[in-house]
Amino acid sequence: MFGIVWTIIVIYICYRIYKQRMENTSGDNQSGQLPNTQGQIQTSRMQRPMYKSPFVQPQAKQAPQAKAQTKQTAESRADNKEEQESTLAYLEEKARQDAIEHEMEKREEARRLYESSGGLRPAQRLYAGDSVPNGCKCVVCGYCAAENLIPVSSRERFSCYFCRERLDT
């Protein structure tokens, strides 16, 4: 009687293990770990490392390789950091030079405009249908008949925004 009960228990345990492995191979549990009957996680036999010699440890074989990889990774990070710093430094220098060049071009354009207008500041354009803003007056150019906006309180002389002729106020 005791032998029959023992056989039934062994068959039941084998059946549970078989069922768990079938669930594992069907893709439900991708990690390859099987739940233990006590709620702990147990690694399946297929994922356990098999060693030919009990005296050879995988850490001992991988330690020099891991150190080399760590050293290479640290060097590559340092190189990458230096490249990023050099790239950032280059971009900052380029932006600074572009800003200086833009400022010089702006001054050159202002000087050329000043010379072409005979030393007069160009007026602002009044678009068709726009109202004249407060503090400005509309002056029509005698040469091209363009409408210009000039500040009322300014004592400066202005030129036409379009043809750069002197405006008579």
Side-chain angles (χ1 to χ4, degrees):
M1 181 72 175
F2 181 75
I4 295 173
V5 173
W6 182 255
T7 309
I8 292 174
I9 291 173
V10 171
I11 292 173
Y12 178 73
I13 292 172
C14 291
Y15 172 74
R16 293 287 299 207
I17 292 171
Y18 173 75
K19 187 175 178 182
Q20 287 176 351
R21 285 190 180 171
M22 291 305 291
E23 289 175 359
N24 188 24
T25 57
S26 68
D28 295 338
N29 189 355
Q30 296 293 329
S31 65
Q33 297 175 343
L34 302 174
N36 197 355
T37 56
Q38 299 170 348
Q40 298 172 347
I41 296 179
Q42 169 185 333
T43 308
S44 67
R45 285 186 183 174
M46 298 178 85
Q47 289 186 341
R48 290 185 192 153
M50 301 286 289
Y51 302 112
K52 295 181 181 178
S53 171
F55 300 107
V56 178
Q57 297 292 330
Q59 291 83 13
K61 284 184 176 179
Q62 294 177 355
Q65 294 173 354
K67 287 181 182 177
Q69 287 177 348
T70 306
K71 187 175 181 181
Q72 289 174 354
T73 324
E75 289 175 0
S76 65
R77 285 182 193 154
D79 292 341
N80 192 12
K81 187 175 181 181
E82 289 174 6
E83 287 176 11
Q84 286 178 349
E85 287 177 0
S86 65
T87 303
L88 288 175
Y90 168 75
L91 291 174
E92 288 173 357
E93 180 65 24
K94 178 76 170 148
R96 189 179 64 78
Q97 288 176 353
D98 287 346
I100 291 171
E101 185 178 326
H102 178 69
E103 189 67 30
M104 288 174 51
E105 288 175 357
K106 199 173 172 183
R107 286 181 186 163
E108 178 74 21
E109 181 67 24
R111 186 182 57 78
R112 213 168 0 105
L113 259 171
Y114 184 79
E115 289 174 358
S116 68
S117 64
L120 302 174
R121 194 171 101 182
Q124 294 178 344
R125 180 177 180 182
L126 179 67
Y127 292 98
D130 286 351
S131 61
V132 178
N134 290 337
C136 291
K137 63 181 178 180
C138 179
V139 177
V140 178
C141 177
Y143 183 76
C144 67
E147 296 178 337
N148 296 278
L149 286 176
I150 297 176
V152 174
S153 62
S154 176
R155 295 183 183 181
E156 289 183 72
R157 294 287 190 178
F158 290 90
S159 64
C160 178
Y161 78 92
F162 185 70
C163 66
R164 303 292 186 228
E165 285 291 318
R166 182 175 175 202
L167 294 174
D168 295 324
T169 53

